[in-house]
Amino acid sequence: MSNNITKTKSSEVKIAPNLKKQNLFEVICSYGVTILSLLFFGYIAIMSVFQTSTLDPVNFSGEHILFEDDDFAMNFFLIGAFFLAVFALSRFANIFLKVNEKILTACLAVYTVTLGFIWIFMAQSIPAADSGVVYNTATDLVKNDWTSFFTSNNDFYNNISYFQIYPFQLGFVLISEIVYRISGAESAMVMQVLNVLSLAAMYVGIVMVNKKLFKSKAVTFITVFMLAGCIQPIFFTTFVYGNIIGLAAAIWACYFVIKFMQGSDKKSYLMLLPATALITLSVIAKYNNMIWLAAICIGLVIYAIREKKWLSLVSVVFVAAVAVGSFNLVIYSYEKRSGAELGDGVTQLLYLDAGINESAMAPGWYNDMSKTMYLNADCDTEKAEADAKADIDAKLEEFKNDPDYAKDFFKKKITSQWNEPSFECIWVSQVKGHYNGDVVDGTLLNSVYNGNWNKFFYDYFDFFHMITFILFAIGMIGLIRKKCGAETIMFLTALIGGFLYHTLFEAKSQYILTYFIIIVMFASYGLYFLLKPRSFNTKRADGKKTISDHIANIANKIDSKTR
């Protein structure tokens, strides 16, 4: 067995790395990220029992959010029924002893691809809004048409090029252009197919990561089944944007970073090459994945300090420089190819200003402020940022003078994103056009959008969301007790970064879906931790075995197969 993991008599998982090698700095980081994760997402777990954020059916296309009180008694009944069912069914866990982990993971991939293809070809969604601009630009470039780099032909953007306002979108334009040049397709369906394949790769990557982090066959099995239950991303594959592709690349980048951290020879440094390439792809696909780049760099710094391999700090600079440099190179290359001067566009300071102001959707959601402020400054970044800074100062003063308003603002902003269980996964195609025409009454697609299947899916999303956050909170309690290493800290840092970023900057619940998938990843460990005897502390005085003892014995048998 690997020396990165030890087992007690009760077969408790020891989180990699070997705890004997941890220094004070890593321990402090471990406690910091796990406690913050418990506080942030434990709050969401509690709120999910009492309240649900939903899209207003009266203003559905406008993404207006309602805050609806839940049936408290029903939720507690469902939570109790879920855990009783888990305890009852766990006795049959032995049937998985004969199932190879690779086969089970392959089944997860096939399952994801099958459902994904069924959905995208049923919906046949046409890109619109930002994703529509990116799609149209990429297909125009295949025809050597550079018009969109000089004008938008749209009063909404003052007829200025969309990419002069949002040059960071060119990363996904590049990916799309390459795909369309290879496929020769005119339809956005080819990108939706790529989304489905990327989601399957992402799920496989998460299983591989959890095997590295927890070294437990039991956790691996739970992870597979929880990912199979996480179907919101499958619906989201109709969204022709960089979210899914970017996260898939980030997950696999982290996997290779973990292989580097857990390697024992100089060849392990080679793992940083695919890691760097993948995190670069992730950032190019979705600029917000700078959060993942930062998390990887933080993980590498903690690793270097723990192992006292100071040369490893060079890898931090290398990974960051390649990822950031490549992203800037994409923008520069499009400027040279088109002959257009794009400038800096809307900056993060303008998004911060938008994120602390009201919106017709929900507090801090998209409100058009950043674009309007940039255009009103005649695309002068310095002037726009000066205006934004003045507006931010005024808003902070308003929060200071009215703390009750500030509290209500951020409470609603947080819950409108993290406690909206669908994460707009069906909405993203429902409000758009379809290649196969209008949605016809009586069809399965119409039922998913407006009928009985719609109600079923939204009820399921609500239940799965609530259980997942509860299990995540339990998992954090387990990690606080055990202390986690740089490998695990890396993922929790990304989650905390995402939470803080979208608490302050522009918000939408669809932005949270990629983080929810990571929540599911740690919820799997939470369920495993819950099934351990020490999690219950319910030893009977007469010495007879409790139900948790029986469950633990099954987990031990599963884990023994990996020894």
Side-chain angles (χ1 to χ4, degrees):
M1 174 172 287
S2 169
N3 60 7
N4 284 332
I5 180 171
T6 60
K7 299 236 179 215
T8 66
K9 291 181 179 180
S10 63
S11 187
E12 278 196 77
V13 173
K14 293 292 185 182
I15 310 302
N18 191 319
L19 298 183
K20 292 181 180 179
K21 298 186 69 174
Q22 283 192 304
N23 59 20
L24 180 61
F25 178 69
E26 188 174 27
V27 170
I28 291 172
C29 290
S30 172
Y31 281 129
V33 296
T34 49
I35 291 172
L36 281 177
S37 297
L38 179 60
L39 290 174
F40 291 164
F41 303 113
Y43 170 72
I44 304 300
I46 294 171
M47 290 301 297
S48 69
V49 178
F50 296 95
Q51 188 185 77
T52 300
S53 300
T54 60
L55 290 161
D56 185 356
V58 175
N59 188 13
F60 190 70
S61 61
E63 296 178 83
H64 180 246
I65 294 294
L66 300 177
F67 302 91
E68 298 183 341
D69 292 332
D70 282 358
D71 186 333
F72 174 78
M74 176 59 71
N75 279 349
F76 262 84
F77 170 78
L78 291 173
I79 293 169
F82 170 80
F83 287 114
L84 285 175
V86 168
F87 293 153
L89 294 174
S90 61
R91 71 182 66 182
F92 302 107
N94 283 316
I95 64 175
F96 295 110
L97 291 174
K98 299 179 181 179
V99 180
N100 185 284
E101 286 178 291
K102 293 181 180 179
I103 294 176
L104 195 63
T105 305
C107 289
L108 173 64
V110 171
Y111 160 87
T112 304
V113 169
T114 301
L115 290 186
F117 282 172
I118 290 172
W119 172 242
I120 64 172
F121 287 111
M122 181 192 300
Q124 295 199 32
S125 177
I126 301 174
D130 294 274
S131 63
V133 173
V134 171
Y135 161 69
N136 289 327
T137 300
T139 53
D140 285 345
L141 293 181
V142 174
K143 305 169 187 174
N144 204 31
D145 181 352
W146 295 87
T147 305
S148 58
F149 282 78
F150 298 93
T151 180
S152 64
N153 295 322
N154 190 328
D155 291 338
F156 185 70
Y157 301 113
N158 290 2
N159 295 321
I160 290 173
S161 170
Y162 173 87
F163 300 104
Q164 190 173 346
I165 305 170
Y166 307 114
F168 56 82
Q169 298 282 33
L170 288 172
F172 193 62
V173 170
L174 175 63
I175 294 172
S176 301
E177 181 188 354
I178 292 172
V179 170
Y180 290 128
R181 285 189 183 278
I182 294 172
S183 67
E186 290 290 332
S187 166
M189 291 304 299
V190 65
M191 292 302 296
Q192 295 180 38
V193 168
L194 185 58
N195 271 344
V196 171
L197 297 177
S198 296
L199 180 62
M202 180 202 307
Y203 278 4
V204 171
I206 289 174
V207 173
M208 299 291 287
V209 164
N210 267 17
K211 286 175 67 175
K212 290 284 184 183
L213 292 183
F214 302 112
K215 310 277 188 184
S216 165
K217 196 170 185 179
V219 175
T220 300
F221 282 153
I222 295 171
T223 301
V224 168
F225 287 107
M226 286 207 66
L227 288 174
C230 184
I231 60 174
Q232 291 97 322
I234 292 175
F235 285 103
F236 202 72
T237 53
T238 59
F239 192 42
V240 182
Y241 225 41
N243 305 56
I244 292 177
I245 295 171
L247 181 60
I251 293 296
W252 278 99
C254 290
Y255 171 77
F256 285 109
V257 170
I258 292 171
K259 288 196 72 173
F260 160 68
M261 291 179 178
Q262 295 183 0
S264 57
D265 54 35
K266 293 182 179 180
K267 290 183 179 180
S268 63
Y269 278 92
L270 294 175
M271 295 296 102
L272 291 178
L273 296 178
T276 302
L278 286 162
I279 194 59
T280 298
L281 173 62
S282 177
V283 170
I284 289 174
K286 186 71 174 173
Y287 185 69
N288 282 0
N289 287 342
M290 284 288 188
I291 291 173
W292 281 98
L293 174 61
I296 285 175
C297 290
I298 289 170
L300 288 171
V301 169
I302 295 172
Y303 164 82
I305 295 174
R306 181 184 81 205
E307 303 293 332
K308 296 182 180 179
K309 294 182 178 179
W310 308 117
L311 189 61
S312 297
L313 293 175
V314 176
S315 66
V316 178
V317 178
F318 174 76
V319 173
V322 171
V324 175
S326 297
F327 181 83
N328 291 329
L329 183 61
V330 169
I331 297 175
Y332 176 77
S333 68
Y334 272 117
E335 285 183 321
K336 289 300 180 183
R337 290 173 63 193
S338 66
E341 294 184 10
L342 301 178
D344 296 329
V346 173
T347 63
Q348 290 300 309
L349 190 64
L350 274 66
Y351 279 117
L352 174 60
D353 188 19
I356 59 174
N357 274 280
E358 296 290 348
S359 164
M361 302 173 184
W365 280 44
Y366 174 79
N367 53 23
D368 201 33
M369 281 187 63
S370 56
K371 182 220 37 154
T372 300
M373 189 168 289
Y374 185 69
L375 292 178
N376 288 343
D378 295 324
C379 300
D380 184 327
T381 300
E382 289 187 7
K383 186 178 185 305
E385 287 193 334
D387 293 340
K389 188 177 184 304
D391 194 61
I392 290 169
D393 290 341
K395 193 66 181 181
L396 292 178
E397 188 67 22
E398 182 181 359
F399 286 151
K400 180 181 177 182
N401 294 333
D402 192 348
D404 288 338
Y405 166 66
K407 179 181 177 181
D408 183 67
F409 178 92
F410 285 105
K411 175 186 175 182
K412 288 182 176 178
K413 184 175 184 183
I414 291 169
T415 55
S416 65
Q417 299 176 83
W418 294 89
N419 198 29
E420 195 279 281
S422 78
F423 304 108
E424 300 182 273
C425 65
I426 294 178
W427 180 92
V428 293
S429 64
Q430 186 173 355
V431 297
K432 297 175 183 175
H434 306 269
Y435 287 114
N436 53 353
D438 295 334
V439 177
V440 180
D441 290 343
T443 62
L444 179 57
L445 181 60
N446 183 61
S447 182
V448 173
Y449 285 154
N450 304 300
N452 292 332
W453 277 109
N454 179 272
K455 182 178 184 339
F456 169 80
F457 283 126
Y458 275 90
D459 286 344
Y460 173 76
F461 294 155
D462 196 5
F463 171 74
F464 185 80
H465 169 277
M466 177 175 63
I467 291 297
T468 298
F469 273 96
I470 291 172
L471 290 175
F472 178 88
I474 293 170
M476 289 306 101
I477 294 173
L479 291 181
I480 290 171
R481 287 180 54 185
K482 298 173 185 300
K483 297 187 292 293
C484 54
E487 299 91 331
T488 308
I489 292 171
M490 180 169 59
F491 285 92
L492 295 179
T493 298
L495 281 179
I496 293 169
F499 184 91
L500 294 175
Y501 180 83
H502 291 293
T503 297
L504 295 174
F505 294 80
E506 183 186 276
K508 275 191 179 184
S509 63
Q510 63 181 255
Y511 300 160
I512 305 304
L513 179 58
T514 51
Y515 300 104
F516 181 68
I517 296 171
I518 308 303
I519 296 286
V520 172
M521 171 179 145
F522 282 98
S524 303
Y525 172 69
L527 183 55
Y528 174 87
F529 177 74
L530 183 65
L531 297 180
K532 302 300 291 180
R534 293 184 181 181
S535 300
F536 288 96
N537 194 25
T538 55
K539 292 289 184 180
R540 291 170 58 102
D542 58 7
K544 293 183 179 179
K545 290 183 177 181
T546 64
I547 189 169
S548 59
D549 291 321
H550 290 294
I551 295 169
N553 287 336
I554 295 171
N556 293 346
K557 291 178 181 179
I558 295 175
D559 284 337
S560 67
K561 297 296 180 180
T562 64
R563 299 183 186 180

